Amino acid sequence: IKQEVEEFISGITLEKKIGELIMATFYLAEGTKKESSFIVANSNPETLRGFINLLRYLYKINESKFRCCLHLRKDQREEQSKDYWSKLLKIPKSQFIKTQFDKRTIKKTYNHYKGVCVVYYYDMNLQRRILYIGEKILNIINKV
């Protein structure tokens, strides 16, 4: 299976049109649908980094419009977590807003768990474009 996938992927180049289709399907699954905000949250660092990198690749991004909020377990260190996510996503720590802690935490957190990072990007036109592309993709899929 791994070899089949390697052969399948090797023939694909990430053109912007394909990238927007990927972005729209990802956002339909993981993004907020509220009209007031463009938000994606995830605990998988590679998934969130991929989403942010794709966003930067596809669109002219104003980096100052990013904000991040961490949702951590009560035994996690806030500054260490901010350092981790800031470096990974290339978003300055100065753009991180107040961290939320889950006070219900009972067991010790797994070493590999970095919490949930919520990324806000303040551009409603971009959110609408991505959601409209997603709607069109769903229309195509639902006719199959």
Side-chain angles (χ1 to χ4, degrees):
I1 290 174
K2 216 174 182 181
Q3 185 165 342
E4 286 176 19
V5 170
E6 290 292 336
E7 290 171 17
F8 172 76
I9 292 294
S10 69
I12 296 175
T13 56
L14 187 60
E15 298 165 17
K16 293 209 176 201
K17 210 169 196 178
I18 298 288
E20 281 201 287
L21 295 174
I22 294 167
M23 173 65 69
T25 53
F26 184 88
Y27 194 74
L28 282 175
E30 296 292 329
T32 186
K33 311 320 177 280
K34 288 193 256 179
E35 276 290 319
S36 62
S37 50
F38 179 88
I39 303 169
V40 175
N42 210 290
S43 64
N44 182 317
E46 289 305 307
T47 299
L48 201 52
R49 183 169 73 155
F51 179 80
I52 299 300
N53 285 344
L54 185 59
L55 191 65
R56 287 176 171 135
Y57 169 72
L58 294 172
Y59 308 106
K60 186 177 179 179
I61 295 299
N62 178 342
E63 294 291 328
S64 70
K65 291 185 177 186
F66 278 116
R67 295 293 179 274
C68 293
C69 178
L70 299 182
H71 291 249
L72 303 176
R73 295 168 57 95
K74 71 179 180 181
D75 64 327
Q76 291 180 286
R77 291 195 200 122
E78 181 177 12
E79 284 307 308
Q80 184 179 1
S81 297
K82 280 184 181 179
D83 288 342
Y84 174 82
W85 285 104
S86 174
K87 182 178 177 184
L88 181 80
L89 301 177
K90 297 182 176 121
I91 296 174
K93 281 176 36 177
S94 62
Q95 290 174 227
F96 280 62
I97 59 177
K98 186 177 180 183
T99 299
Q100 304 296 313
F101 286 94
D102 184 352
K103 296 181 181 2
R104 302 168 299 165
T105 306
I106 296 170
K107 295 181 181 179
K108 183 172 172 22
T109 303
Y110 301 112
N111 288 336
H112 67 279
Y113 181 72
K114 304 298 184 187
V116 173
C117 184
V118 182
V119 177
Y120 302 79
Y121 185 73
Y122 294 99
D123 186 330
M124 291 309 303
N125 289 332
L126 181 57
Q127 187 218 27
R128 287 184 181 123
R129 177 180 176 81
I130 292 168
L131 284 174
Y132 293 155
I133 292 170
E135 286 176 17
K136 294 298 181 185
I137 292 168
L138 289 175
N139 289 338
I140 293 167
I141 292 169
N142 289 330
K143 289 180 183 175
V144 174

